[in-house]
Amino acid sequence: MQFSTLDDIRGFCRELPQGDEASAAAATQRQQNLTKPPGSLGRLEEVAIWLARWQRREMPRLDHVTIAVFAGNHGIAERGVSAYPSEVTAQMVANFAAGGAAINQIAKLAGAELRVEPLELARPTRDFTAGPAMDAADFLVALDTGWRTVPEQCDLLVVGEMGIANTTVAATLCAALMGGRGVRWAGRGTGVDDAGLIRKRTTIDAALKLHRGVIDDPLVTAMSLGGRELAAIAGAVLAARARCIPVLLDGFVATAAVLPLARLQPDSLAHCRAGHVSAELGHRELLRELELAPLLDLNMRLGEGSGAGVAILLLRAALACHGGMATFAEAGVSGAD
């Protein structure tokens, strides 16, 4: 395994690889020389420079894009916090394999490889209102699965998830690491009714009370209150950082999965961008806390990597302009004085 202990993760996060500022500077200079007023393409310019920094080349490319979707089940599902039963997680994984889900269509359109990793679906995490969701061994195995899912040849990684009850898990992590109770963070997820929303809030508050002694340690918090698919997302994001691969985060759950990394080391998400802001309660506030401005705001709340998958198309537009436009000199166009 890449990490044998939680301390190994902490050590890695203290010495994170950085992006290449020379490539970013060259990309910035190119943007200033293209046939347009400086800054007129707005965030398309910013993301082109961000890709240049982390791909370590002035002319970034998106020849090899991977969407990694991690699936996990949760003991707290038995508490009625979701509108769907836990069996749906495995059924949706089968739907992914058959090509019938939204993310299959989006991946195809965006020119991305889709990798789906189910994590011990027949063995849900423990109900975290009764004890830790995972022990250290479970957490490290899940994190390692995420790490190994990232291909060596990858220009961009998108991370997403599937897991009944995992919006409750995400909300609990946010409450533990950012403050507040269930009423602040619990949204309707898959569409729970009012009674289900109350159960979510009650479950979150019970977990916070039980685990209040560990919330000063982000990794132990992730182990105690998280899920295997969230740990795998964190592992994939760390692997991407090790290889200087830029990352698009999907919705509320995927972003909450990397919140412990940000609490461990503030710079740990520098290679990440938020693909979109979801309609799930708490995602916008979480992104604001992490200083991640979403690329899209489409009122989506599906998960599966779907919102970030759509954002791949925006990045392709950014690079088409960055690489395909003529400079003022090439076009024989007079620049600004």
Side-chain angles (χ1 to χ4, degrees):
M1 290 201 304
Q2 182 66 32
F3 302 111
S4 299
T5 67
L6 298 185
D7 279 340
D8 289 345
I9 303 171
R10 296 184 183 104
F12 175 81
C13 288
R14 283 194 294 268
E15 299 181 2
L16 293 168
Q18 300 299 315
D20 181 37
E21 294 307 315
S23 295
T28 301
Q29 183 62 46
R30 176 172 175 78
Q31 284 289 333
Q32 293 172 348
N33 291 332
L34 296 177
T35 48
K36 58 179 176 58
S40 58
L41 283 177
R43 295 195 66 196
L44 293 186
E45 298 183 20
E46 186 270 329
V47 294
I49 296 165
W50 167 69
L51 288 169
R53 175 179 287 107
W54 288 101
Q55 290 188 10
R56 296 176 172 265
R57 49 194 173 218
E58 176 188 351
M59 303 294 283
R61 53 180 181 258
L62 293 175
D63 298 335
H64 302 283
V65 178
T66 296
I67 300 174
V69 178
F70 301 98
N73 275 325
H74 303 270
I76 55 162
E78 299 303 315
R79 298 178 65 86
V81 297
S82 175
Y84 293 88
S86 293
E87 302 85 74
V88 169
T89 304
Q91 292 164 359
M92 282 303 300
V93 167
N95 192 29
F96 297 149
I103 191 57
N104 297 99
Q105 320 320 315
I106 292 169
K108 187 184 305 181
L109 180 65
E113 174 200 17
L114 178 61
R115 295 189 174 196
V116 179
E117 288 289 340
L119 293 111
E120 299 193 59
L121 299 185
R123 189 170 72 92
T125 55
R126 290 182 287 277
D127 179 346
F128 56 41
T129 66
M134 295 171 282
D135 58 24
D138 280 337
F139 179 74
L140 290 167
V141 167
L143 191 136
D144 189 65
T145 299
W147 182 287
R148 290 185 289 103
T149 299
V150 180
E152 291 291 336
Q153 191 173 33
C154 186
D155 299 322
L156 176 72
L157 176 70
V158 170
V159 288
E161 44 61 43
M162 173 65 213
I164 296 302
N166 67 10
T167 58
T168 303
V169 171
T172 307
L173 279 175
C174 289
L177 295 173
M178 292 176 58
R181 302 181 62 187
V183 68
R184 178 185 180 190
W185 294 104
R188 294 189 182 271
T190 50
V192 293
D193 58 15
D194 289 346
L197 184 58
I198 291 171
R199 288 192 294 271
K200 287 184 76 167
R201 292 171 177 172
T202 301
T203 296
I204 292 167
D205 292 344
L208 294 174
K209 182 177 180 181
L210 179 65
H211 299 283
R212 60 184 178 273
V214 304
I215 59 176
D216 60 338
D217 187 320
L219 292 182
V220 177
T221 300
M223 183 180 76
S224 301
L225 299 174
R228 291 189 181 92
E229 77 273 39
L230 280 77
I233 287 171
V237 168
L238 288 176
R241 184 58 174 265
R243 301 166 196 167
C244 288
I245 299 168
V247 175
L248 284 183
L249 303 170
D250 193 41
F252 181 50
V253 177
T255 310
V258 298
L259 175 60
L261 300 181
R263 285 291 183 261
L264 191 64
Q265 172 61 45
D267 179 54
S268 63
L269 303 184
H271 64 309
C272 299
R273 288 291 183 271
H276 77 127
V277 57
S278 79
E280 182 64 15
L281 180 70
H283 192 208
R284 196 176 298 273
E285 186 172 354
L286 174 57
L287 292 177
R288 193 160 45 241
E289 173 73 15
L290 295 174
E291 298 182 354
L292 292 170
L295 296 175
L296 299 173
D297 184 351
L298 301 175
N299 205 38
M300 296 174 69
R301 56 182 183 88
L302 176 61
E304 303 178 5
S306 56
V310 173
I312 296 169
L313 300 172
L314 184 148
L315 297 191
R316 290 198 181 281
L319 294 195
C321 293
H322 184 74
M325 288 179 68
T327 64
F328 284 104
E330 290 167 343
V333 174
S334 299
D337 293 332

